[in-house]
Amino acid sequence: DGRMPLLEQVIYRDDIGKSVINCLLGKVDEYFACHSFGEVEVGYISGMVQALLNIIACILKHPKFEEEREYRQIYQPGSAKLVLNTEFRQGQFGLTPYVNIEFLERNRLPLRTVTVGPCQDPEAESNALKIFLSRYGYENVQVLASEIPLRM
């Protein structure tokens, strides 16, 4: 639909997440206090605030995962009628939905490190990831093993 996805850094600290939400809601309260609106305008502004809260919800993550230093690509369709081509894969904890996003070779992600998540054989996973990255031209990416214990 012509919209560009956002690339946002994940927030792992609860106090920062709460501060961001409180700041947003405070600004909304201030704006409503200083202006008078009709029903249509209030609905429009409420929709915008909801979209911002959705983005914030996408970038909040438990502090135990802070070592990931993750960024998330966030896409919100411009229309509720727009259906993304959602695909599914079998994950360790069940069916996982995802959307394929193609990257042009010249606009590759600037990867410096990739952390392998908790798994039974981190060395084998790291080796497989190095081969995978090399296949797509990421030869100089450092592969690290997560310190988070495997959930069984």
Side-chain angles (χ1 to χ4, degrees):
D1 65 352
R3 288 175 173 249
M4 290 296 295
L6 299 171
L7 185 63
E8 297 290 336
Q9 189 171 9
V10 171
I11 298 171
Y12 298 98
R13 289 183 41 197
D14 292 339
D15 59 328
I16 294 174
K18 287 176 185 175
S19 176
V20 168
I21 292 169
N22 288 335
C23 180
L24 171 65
L25 295 178
K27 295 288 184 191
V28 170
D29 281 344
E30 286 176 29
Y31 193 74
F32 277 125
C34 296
H35 300 83
S36 60
F37 299 101
E39 211 171 291
V40 172
E41 292 89 355
V42 169
Y44 177 76
I45 293 169
S46 295
M48 290 179 62
V49 170
Q50 181 181 356
L52 286 171
L53 288 171
N54 285 340
I55 291 169
I56 293 168
C58 289
I59 62 171
L60 297 177
K61 197 167 181 180
H62 193 279
K64 290 279 186 184
F65 295 95
E66 188 170 12
E67 77 171 38
E68 294 177 348
R69 296 188 337 214
E70 181 180 354
Y71 282 77
R72 291 195 173 166
Q73 189 172 35
I74 303 165
Y75 173 79
Q76 291 186 342
S79 166
K81 296 176 187 170
L82 180 66
V83 177
L84 295 174
N85 188 17
T86 304
E87 298 183 32
F88 297 88
R89 65 176 176 257
Q90 178 61 42
Q92 182 177 358
F93 302 107
L95 210 51
T96 304
Y98 69 96
V99 176
N100 267 332
I101 299 174
E102 298 295 324
F103 289 96
L104 299 175
E105 187 167 327
R106 66 176 191 259
N107 291 328
R108 258 201 279 244
L109 293 173
L111 297 179
R112 289 178 285 185
T113 65
V114 176
T115 302
V116 175
C119 57
Q120 288 181 333
D121 190 349
E123 186 176 345
E125 293 293 334
S126 294
N127 290 335
L129 180 58
K130 288 175 188 175
I131 293 168
F132 176 82
L133 289 168
S134 178
R135 177 182 292 167
Y136 291 97
Y138 290 97
E139 288 87 10
N140 298 319
V141 176
Q142 183 182 14
V143 176
L144 305 171
S146 173
E147 294 178 12
I148 298 170
L150 176 63
R151 178 174 84 170
M152 300 292 264

